[in-house]
């Protein structure tokens, strides 16, 4: 199958320096955060790539780079064979924008509280001129609400009249309004109760089957990732450290960080397997460690790890950035 979305060496640097006068008085240099630092991956049509990692590892920045909310500092974003990160604003870019949409993390913040649901879901239809006339618009909004398990009558209500799970369904209905092929889901269930999470995830899986959607799914919840993904990418401090099919990653994780994340999941089956709890803190992104960023927390680190940054290389069909795996020090 061909890749619908392809990202090559994507990077984003943010200037987080203090104001000029403060720097002058305190004699401090400018400071930069490498939020995303050379990430590459591809997503095939109709499949789901999940990105996981601790808070602050750059997952959400990748999502925003893909849909154009941030401009990349370096690298390329290709959608259906066309490079979109450097495309000038115009009809061609607008047509591509229709084919990709984003579902945001917080359903309480991503919906305008002053608008009725009808106006919220119809906004993409109006912006892209997809439906003409109020009656046709209302009918289309009703269809979209029914497709996510809400009633047509809900179109006349305001967001505050809904629960968190229902608000996220409204967000999904809005994202589906332009009939996109690619959805970027930035932790769409993290603000919801566990039972409601399952309902929203099942709706998303059903919509994927019915419409052939392609997902980039951002999450820090490995149980959610296991439920929705086909492929999993693990990020640490702005870089992709492992990428593998879901079954391979959960059954035989290679990178020490991936192993640490999986060992943090409670062992309900009480298998008795030896586990390494997550240790240490994520380093300060303003002053990341030299060499492999994970080496201060890694039980397998050696002198090379503290000196040389590992490249993402393919071992037995799995992409891993780790000297210990490359040298055979980890089985």
């Amino acid at each position: 199958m061909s890749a619908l979305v392809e990202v090559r060496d994507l990077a984003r640097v943010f200037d987080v320096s203090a104001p000029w006068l403060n720097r002058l008085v305190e004699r401090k240099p400018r400071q930069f955060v490498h939020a995303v630092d050379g990430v590459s991956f591809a997503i095939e049509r109709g499949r789901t790539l999940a990105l996981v990692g601790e808070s602050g590892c750059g997952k959400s920045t990748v999502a925003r780079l893909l849909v154009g909310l941030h401009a990349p500092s370096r690298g390329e974003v290709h959608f259906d064979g066309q490079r979109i990160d450097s495309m000038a604003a115009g009809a061609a870019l607008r047509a591509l924008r229709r084919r990709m949409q984003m579902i945001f993390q917080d359903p309480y913040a991503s919906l305008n509280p002053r608008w009725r649901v009808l106006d919220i879901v119809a906004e993409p239809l109006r912006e892209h001129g997809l439906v003409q006339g109020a009656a046709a618009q209302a009918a289309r909004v009703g269809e979209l609400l029914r497709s996510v398990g809400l009633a047509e009558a809900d179109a006349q209500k305001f967001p505050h009249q809904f629960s968190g799970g229902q608000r996220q369904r409204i967000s999904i209905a809005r994202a589906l309004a332009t009939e996109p092929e690619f959805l970027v889901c930035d932790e769409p269930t993290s603000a919801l109760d566990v039972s409601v999470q399952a309902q929203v995830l099942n709706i998303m899986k059903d919509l994927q089957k019915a419409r052939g959607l392609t997902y980039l799914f951002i999450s820090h919840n490995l149980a959610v990732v296991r439920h929705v993904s086909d492929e999993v990418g693990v990020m640490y401090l702005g870089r992709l450290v492992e990428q593998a099919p879901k079954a391979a990653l959960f059954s035989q994780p290679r990178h020490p960080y991936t192993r640490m994340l999986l060992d943090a999941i409670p062992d309900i089956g009480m298998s008795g397997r030896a586990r390494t709890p997550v240790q240490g803190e994520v380093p300060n992104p303003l002053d990341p460690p030299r060499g492999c960023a994970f080496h201060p927390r890694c039980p397998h680190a050696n002198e090379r790890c503290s000196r040389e940054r590992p490249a993402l290389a393919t071992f037995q069909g799995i992409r891993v950035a780790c000297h210990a795996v490359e040298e055979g020090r980890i089985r």
Side-chain angles (χ1 to χ4, degrees):
M1 292 177 75
S2 62
L4 178 66
V5 179
E6 191 175 357
V7 166
R8 299 175 190 164
D9 194 31
L10 196 63
R12 172 68 197 203
V13 180
F14 291 104
D15 187 345
V16 293
S17 309
W20 173 78
L21 191 57
N22 291 41
R23 295 203 313 272
L24 191 68
V25 171
E26 297 169 18
R27 298 189 178 183
K28 287 186 176 177
R30 294 178 72 178
Q31 291 186 305
F32 298 92
V33 169
H34 293 263
V36 177
D37 190 8
V39 168
S40 301
F41 58 78
I43 313 174
E44 293 179 357
R45 289 176 187 275
R47 292 177 70 80
T48 301
L49 170 67
L51 288 182
V52 300
E54 290 166 291
S55 296
C57 71
K59 307 183 299 291
S60 293
T61 306
V62 170
R64 289 166 177 270
L65 287 166
L66 256 66
V67 296
L69 293 176
H70 293 318
S73 305
R74 185 182 80 239
E76 302 175 6
V77 179
H78 295 257
F79 182 79
D80 199 13
Q82 297 182 66
R83 184 174 173 184
I84 60 172
D85 58 280
S86 58
M87 195 179 281
L93 185 60
R94 193 175 176 80
L96 278 174
R97 286 271 174 264
R98 269 183 55 187
R99 298 169 64 190
M100 56 170 69
Q101 291 293 324
M102 186 162 177
I103 301 168
F104 294 92
Q105 179 174 357
D106 186 358
Y108 295 89
S110 62
L111 303 178
N112 189 333
R114 297 173 183 272
W115 285 13
R116 293 184 190 275
V117 170
L118 173 66
D119 299 314
I120 290 169
V121 179
E123 185 182 19
L125 301 174
R126 291 193 301 271
E127 283 294 316
H128 291 280
L130 299 176
V131 175
Q132 304 301 323
Q137 200 175 93
R140 179 72 181 125
V141 169
E143 281 174 36
L144 289 163
L145 291 175
R146 285 197 302 274
S147 75
V148 295
L150 293 173
E152 204 168 326
D154 289 332
Q156 298 306 318
K157 296 179 183 176
F158 289 92
H160 73 265
Q161 295 174 270
F162 296 92
S163 68
Q166 289 171 320
R167 291 188 204 195
Q168 200 59 292
R169 292 181 194 209
I170 295 165
S171 295
I172 295 169
R174 176 178 61 184
L176 294 173
T178 62
E179 298 188 357
E181 298 161 50
F182 177 50
L183 281 182
V184 176
C185 313
D186 185 9
E187 304 212 29
T189 60
S190 65
L192 309 176
D193 293 337
V194 174
S195 59
V196 181
Q197 280 187 20
Q199 292 170 20
V200 171
L201 292 171
N202 287 333
I203 285 171
M204 292 179 71
K205 288 196 80 171
D206 292 343
L207 288 166
Q208 184 174 34
K209 273 185 199 167
R211 299 174 181 233
L213 294 168
T214 305
Y215 289 148
L216 174 68
F217 198 95
I218 309 289
S219 183
H220 60 262
N221 186 331
L222 288 162
V224 167
V225 165
R226 195 168 200 161
H227 184 61
V228 301
S229 66
D230 298 301
E231 187 114 349
V232 182
V234 181
M235 287 189 69
Y236 187 76
L237 222 62
R239 293 177 66 82
L240 208 54
V241 296
E242 183 167 1
Q243 186 183 345
K246 174 179 68 176
L249 186 121
F250 279 93
S251 63
Q252 193 183 1
R254 304 298 178 91
H255 197 282
Y257 178 59
T258 310
R259 294 179 176 208
M260 220 175 255
L261 287 179
L262 292 175
D263 282 346
I265 301 172
D267 187 2
I268 294 170
M270 290 189 280
S271 61
R273 178 171 64 86
R275 302 162 74 83
T276 308
V278 176
Q279 297 174 354
E281 297 290 328
V282 179
N284 181 356
L286 289 171
D287 185 24
R290 288 188 61 205
C292 173
F294 187 62
H295 86 260
R297 304 171 69 186
C298 180
H300 306 280
N302 65 7
E303 195 270 334
R304 183 188 177 195
C305 299
S306 62
R307 177 171 37 84
E308 185 184 323
R309 187 156 78 171
L312 195 66
T314 303
F315 300 93
Q316 300 168 355
I318 291 168
R319 299 170 76 210
V320 188
C322 179
H323 295 312
V325 173
E326 180 192 333
E327 294 168 5
R329 289 188 275 122
I330 300 180
R331 296 293 171 200

